Amino acid sequence: MKSVVKPTRSFTRRLVLVGATAASVTVLAACGGNDSGSRSDSAHRSPSKSASSPSAAASDGAHNAADVAFAKGMIPHHRQAVEMADLAAGRAASSQVKELAAKIKRAQDPEIRTMSGWLTAWGEQVPKGMTEGTPGMDHSAGSPDSAESRHSGDSGHSGHTGHSEMPGMMGAEEMTALKGKSGKAFDAAFLEMMVRHHQGAVKMAGTEKEKGAYGPAKRLADDVIKAQEAEIARMNKLLGKA
């Protein structure tokens, strides 16, 4: 009969210690792997976090006096263009003139709302609505330099930016005369006036691109230049000046 050797108590303790040690090594290795993985993940993520916040937001968020002057000047300038465009619906003879006028209104109405929102966000007063025949609106006195100096001087006042000195703005008599025309006479007068009006807007937008700081305003200025230069070319063609 074979004898069975029973394990001693000390041998049993050694087996338990060896098992526990192996388990601890496994757990530590697993924890170490997770930690290095998380460090690796955070190292990959951190550049994207830093890239998404600083420079892009700064260029869009900062604004200066030139941005305020641009918005305060372009809002009434656009309003007058929309007012002129509204006249075309019932007075123009040419379908092309009517189509152009409708396009001008569709483009400039939303831009007025956008610029008004900027001024409100900046704590500036939005220029009050202007009607045709506003006293002192003599576009012949306007030039880019005089408009710029007036804007910089008035940027902190009550929202009036010297309409009479903005380039391309029509005077009260011109607006009254346009309203009294119809048919082909209206078409010719509208196109002549709107070409000058657009040329003034292009000059104002050029000043914003050069001196402004607010990213969205500079982009809007660029859009104004591209769109209105194309419309100037189209209007000159309709006038037979191309």
Side-chain angles (χ1 to χ4, degrees), residues 138-167:
D138 179 9
H139 80 281
S140 62
S143 69
D145 292 336
S146 63
E148 180 184 336
S149 62
R150 179 64 177 263
H151 286 163
S152 61
D154 285 0
S155 60
H157 292 299
S158 62
H160 296 285
T161 54
H163 300 334
S164 63
E165 295 191 11
M166 283 188 291

Side-chain angles (χ1 to χ4, degrees), residues 11-81:
F11 179 73
T12 302
R13 283 201 297 269
R14 283 198 296 273
L15 288 176
V16 171
L17 286 172
V18 169
T21 302
S24 298
V25 170
T26 302
V27 170
L28 288 172
C31 292
N34 289 341
D35 183 57
S36 62
S38 63
R39 284 197 301 269
S40 175
D41 289 344
S42 64
H44 286 294
R45 283 194 298 267
S46 58
S48 63
K49 286 182 180 178
S50 61
S52 64
S53 53
S55 57
S59 64
D60 278 0
H63 73 279
N64 62 15
D67 298 314
V68 175
F70 172 68
K72 285 190 173 185
M74 196 61 82
I75 287 171
H77 203 277
H78 272 20
R79 282 175 180 157
Q80 189 178 69

Side-chain angles (χ1 to χ4, degrees), residues 80 129-139 150 160 162-166 169-173 175-176:
Q80 189 178 69
M130 147 183 101
T131 59
E132 67 181 71
T134 301
M137 284 175 50
D138 179 9
H139 80 281
R150 179 64 177 263
H160 296 285
H163 300 334
S164 63
E165 295 191 11
M166 283 188 291
M169 289 289 282
M170 300 298 112
E173 291 181 1
M175 291 298 293
T176 300

Side-chain angles (χ1 to χ4, degrees), residues 106-121:
R106 284 196 305 270
Q108 297 195 21
D109 259 343
E111 290 175 350
I112 291 170
R113 291 192 294 271
T114 295
M115 291 183 287
S116 297
W118 294 342
L119 290 175
T120 300

